[in-house]
Amino acid sequence: MARIGNTRQAFIETLMEIARQDPRTVLVCADSILVIRARPFAQEFPDRFIDVGIAEQNAVALAAGMASCGLVPYVATYAGFITMRACEQVRTFVAYPGLNVRFIGANGGIAAGEREGVTHQFFEDLGIMRTIPGITVVAPADQQQVKEATTAIHKVQGPAYMRIGSGRDPIVECEYRPFELGKIRILADFGRDVAIFANGPILNRAICAAERLRQEGIKAVVADVHTLRPIDRDGILELIRQTRSAVTVEDHNIIGGLGSAIAELACQDCPVPVMRLGLPDTYPRSGEPEALWDHYDMGVDDIERAARHAIALRNTNDDR
Amino acid sequence: MDLLNKIRQLEDTARQIRIDIVTMIYQAGDGHPGPSLSVVELITACYFHLLNIDPANPRKPDRDRLILSKGHACPALYAALARKGYFPHSDLKGLRSLHSHLQGHPDMNKTPGVDFTSGSLGHGVSIGLGMVLAGRITGHDYYVYVITGDGEIEEGIVWEAAISASKYKADRLIVMVDNNGIQSGGPISQVSGIEPIIPKWEAFGWFCQQINGHDIGQIIQAVDNAKSQRGRPSLILAKTIKGQGVPFMVGDNSWHKRVPTREQYEQALKALGASVDG
């Protein structure tokens, strides 16, 4: 079992450091002060903490108005209430005018929703944000990466969306690699038989699968694709060209997220088999996070099987 | 200049803006004449008397701001901005065409003087409140004016914003409702249950006034009253007439979005005291 961290806490602590340096920084909540662990922020910066109550559309539009006056508001609440309930406000009044609003979406993925079930499991957020032009989209791996990603997106021109978790978020166990916006991180590198692309805490499973594959003589490389826009086209295509077979693993609906992004790149520039793992276009159930991933095709076994299948397809193609 | 003369001058500016509106829509072959004509006095009073703005410096941080939340009435806004000197009057003929900066609905990044993008209804109050709260942080004590339609306030986000503006005692937020009584699908009394309007806003803690929205003197007085309020946002319910100034458009909601024929265009110009050549 992985050690457990807290991406929500990591976000707010970093935001407070940013707010101490940058007086433009504002936090806008929609009765999400507890969700985001924002009480210390509200106490230290009472004039830069806005709470509109349970009214996410208003939170986003109000933040847009603030950003138009030179501030950098962070709208932080559950991922689905930003990306779905306030989707139009994000698109038309923040992204279209290119305003400096940052969206922090908690409970990204089915694992983060845990016991509450579908209403609080958000597995469409990255796909929705990825289809709206002009938004930087990041899904950091764990609490340390959230700290670095928060610092990085603060400097972005225009809007940004960052996915965070439940507050009980697995730490991705690997040698440290720094977060660089728009650049993949190689977290395990056993060779170039197959490339496994993943993001978020499920990276632990991708790394575990790569280690098991190595014992079978299959050499995989695992890349963390934490930034979905701007996507690291060169870094991803280099791995795809070298391996010519790929697997994607994401705690997100199989449509619209990381798997789609990798498939889009591959099919245009280097058509190779891409096996996509994620929530199989269905509504998940309540449950314990790791059990949910196992149940919905995101198990270590599933990743291994997908890798072998991708390699087999590649080899079949080569024989033709 | 005394106020009466000033008002007379503003009334003539309003007449010229109406001529611009029908001309733009006739030339573009598209647009919303009815709802543009009903906001003309509100727009005129704001841009030519009330707002602290500088067309030479459209993004001056301490300027007053105006959001035309009913963005489909933008021909009125564009005409006012052109006549105020934000861009050449000749630009108006580009409305809605591919390479013009005058989009079908207002775009803050394309058109000088537009303080915020609009057109998707219901958002002005919320965005305007954000601007007012930003002013507290940046140390600028500007006013934010929002012109919204009456049908538009059926949107839920308007009431979310109304609650927040009251919570934050946003007394620099002045919302004007262009109460022409008719929305796209018909009279607001038939389409929705939004009436009565004033008691609802009062219940949300707003300072409310009702005026004749075509009476520039009343508009100026109502804004003065709003500015004297402390700790409360203001709502001005401006009773207006859709199509005001062009008799054949009044009372005919097909002019919500419709283009006049050459003959109708000439008829409109005549009613507005303009020659056919402009």
Side-chain angles (χ1 to χ4, degrees), chain A residues 36-47:
Chain A
I36 298 300
R37 317 288 194 260
R39 192 78 73 193
F41 186 101
Q43 282 164 352
E44 187 170 338
F45 308 102
D47 299 336

Side-chain angles (χ1 to χ4, degrees), chain A residues 235-283:
Chain A
I236 291 165
L237 281 175
E238 185 183 351
L239 292 183
I240 290 178
R241 286 199 183 95
Q242 290 167 349
T243 58
R244 296 177 43 252
S245 61
V247 175
T248 64
V249 196
E250 60 191 313
D251 186 356
H252 188 276
N253 193 12
I254 198 70
I255 296 171
L258 171 68
S260 294
I262 299 293
E264 287 159 17
L265 280 179
C267 77
Q268 283 195 353
D269 292 283
C270 184
V272 300
V274 178
M275 301 301 301
R276 296 174 301 129
L277 298 176
L279 181 70
D281 199 23
T282 187
Y283 291 97

